[in-house]
Amino acid sequence: MKIRLWQDAENRTLLANLLKKNMEQRPKVLTVEDKLMVLGCKDLEKRIVEAEMDLTLAKNQGFLKNQLRQSESFSEKKLLAVIGVYTGFGSYLKRQTSRGSWMPRGDALKKLEERGVVVRFVIGRSANRGDSLDRHIDEENHRTKDFFILEGHEEAQEELPKKVKFFFSTAVQNWDAEFYVKVNDNIDIDLEGLIGLLEHRRGQDSAYVGCMKSGEVVSEEGKDWYEPDWWKFGDEKSYFQHASGSLFILSKNLAQYINVNSASLKTYAYDDTSVGSWMMGVKATYIDDNRLCCGSIRQGELASIIYSC
């Protein structure tokens, strides 16, 4: 009996000591200052992580000097321009017309790239991926090797404003160029004149070049050029200044801006007004060049026309 009582007493003492030790190891009550310090550290840690993510994104997008992408298949020499000629599934004859007039073919296309100019027909994919429309484009591209296919874009007339985002975003990821040019496939271009214009502006950042215009916003559904978001343009219903969609040019940093912010950029009914709205939000240099005005001389000025339509 005495041994058992002694053992019980020893156990109680052991338990008491363990409880005491455990209490001593428990964290003290935090003051308001302690809590603010902890929260501040967590907030700082979060900002560091976000900054590291931004830095990684900047490297991937080529914003940092001397940062070359491993996936680039072209030479280390920076290209002068990537010219994207917008086309569609039903535009085979227009493409053949371009190939027979201003757009080089075969070896001539390769020699043009050696000069620093890439020219490609730009098209998306069919809504029914892999159907005859897609197969015909793939077969044509196998013969001509002059397409830039936007795999993530659905080719449709109503999707053209989104196509312009896909083109600039994808082109700037695939080619390192001074300029990125959007061209329609229904115009005839003086290619050497366009190259000369681009050479003259080589090294100029934030350049938004085209035939600048503005005009009435059509608010009546069913009419040509109807703008569903007409109410956003105020009582005067007038578009802001923007480059005509037939041919316009963006410098590399503006194309990168579209790439980085693609998910949040609002598109309107047409690609030219969509791009114009994006340029309003950045420090773009608007360059109104009447050589890019569809074969017409404005205000009686003399100029060599870059294209006709």
Side-chain angles (χ1 to χ4, degrees):
M1 180 65 70
K2 289 182 179 180
I3 294 175
R4 185 173 179 179
L5 289 173
W6 178 80
Q7 288 177 337
D8 289 342
E10 186 180 52
N11 288 338
R12 285 196 297 272
T13 302
L14 180 61
L15 288 172
N17 290 335
L18 288 173
L19 287 171
K20 182 179 180 181
K21 185 177 182 181
N22 187 50
M23 289 293 291
E24 291 174 350
Q25 291 180 347
R26 287 179 63 185
K28 67 178 181 178
V29 177
L30 294 177
T31 65
V32 173
E33 289 76 16
D34 292 332
K35 290 181 180 179
L36 289 175
M37 184 179 295
V38 171
L39 291 173
C41 290
K42 289 182 177 179
D43 181 65
L44 180 60
E45 182 181 9
K46 180 182 177 182
R47 282 184 287 171
I48 291 173
V49 172
E50 290 174 347
E52 289 175 343
M53 293 174 65
D54 290 340
L55 182 60
T56 301
L57 178 61
K59 288 180 178 179
N60 290 337
Q61 303 299 343
F63 279 93
L64 301 186
K65 290 184 177 180
N66 303 321
Q67 179 68 32
L68 297 178
R69 292 184 290 275
Q70 297 295 323
S71 60
E72 288 176 342
S73 57
F74 44 81
S75 66
E76 291 185 2
K77 181 182 178 181
K78 190 171 187 177
L79 297 170
L80 174 64
V82 175
I83 301 174
V85 185
Y86 274 34
T87 191
F89 292 120
S91 299
Y92 176 74
L93 292 179
K94 290 180 181 178
R95 292 193 292 274
Q96 287 296 86
T97 300
S98 296
R99 292 180 182 121
S101 57
W102 68 270
M103 184 170 174
R105 294 180 289 180
D107 291 339
L109 193 64
K110 293 180 181 178
K111 289 181 179 179
L112 184 64
E113 292 181 18
E114 292 173 1
R115 292 177 57 190
V117 179
V118 171
V119 184
R120 294 289 188 274
F121 288 111
V122 181
I123 194 168
R125 286 300 191 182
S126 169
N128 302 309
R129 182 64 67 96
D131 64 5
S132 61
L133 295 175
D134 279 348
R135 291 197 298 273
H136 288 160
I137 292 297
D138 289 337
E139 291 167 4
E140 185 180 344
N141 187 37
H142 182 72
R143 297 192 305 271
T144 61
K145 295 178 173 54
D146 58 3
F147 277 88
F148 180 32
I149 299 175
L150 306 176
E151 295 291 346
H153 174 69
E154 180 181 316
E155 188 67 35
Q157 184 65 31
E158 63 273 15
E159 298 295 330
L160 285 178
K162 294 180 181 177
K163 183 175 181 177
V164 77
K165 286 203 293 186
F166 271 94
F167 166 60
F168 285 114
S169 295
T170 313
V172 81
Q173 292 178 60
N174 281 272
W175 291 285
D176 180 21
E178 294 272 352
F179 300 102
Y180 299 82
V181 185
K182 183 262 179 177
V183 177
N184 285 345
D185 66 355
N186 60 349
I187 63 176
D188 191 28
I189 294 177
D190 173 8
L191 184 58
E192 289 301 321
L194 178 58
I195 291 174
L197 184 154
L198 295 169
E199 284 282 7
H200 178 70
R201 298 200 175 276
R202 186 189 286 271
Q204 182 173 359
D205 283 339
S206 303
Y208 175 36
V209 189
C211 178
M212 296 297 168
K213 64 176 186 175
S214 60
E216 180 186 359
V217 178
V218 178
S219 59
E220 295 181 41
E221 189 171 359
K223 284 192 172 184
D224 289 343
W225 311 110
Y226 168 64
E227 172 59 70
D229 286 321
W230 58 267
W231 57 274
K232 293 183 178 179
F233 294 88
D235 295 336
E236 298 298 325
K237 297 179 184 176
S238 179
Y239 280 118
F240 37 75
Q241 197 82 344
H242 61 278
S244 171
S246 295
L247 191 161
F248 63 86
I249 303 161
L250 297 182
S251 59
K252 181 179 179 179
N253 65 322
L254 295 181
Q256 285 178 320
Y257 169 79
I258 293 174
N259 179 32
V260 172
N261 298 282
S262 178
S264 59
L265 290 175
K266 161 73 177 174
T267 56
Y268 291 95
Y270 303 99
D271 58 356
D272 55 355
T273 52
S274 296
V275 174
S277 71
W278 305 336
M279 296 301 101
M280 290 177 66
V282 296
K283 292 182 178 180
T285 301
Y286 285 60
I287 301 170
D288 185 15
D289 194 321
N290 61 8
R291 290 173 294 176
L292 304 179
C293 289
C294 195
S296 62
I297 304 297
R298 296 182 305 180
Q299 299 178 352
E301 295 179 2
L302 297 178
S304 58
I305 305 305
I306 299 297
Y307 76 93
S308 58
C309 53

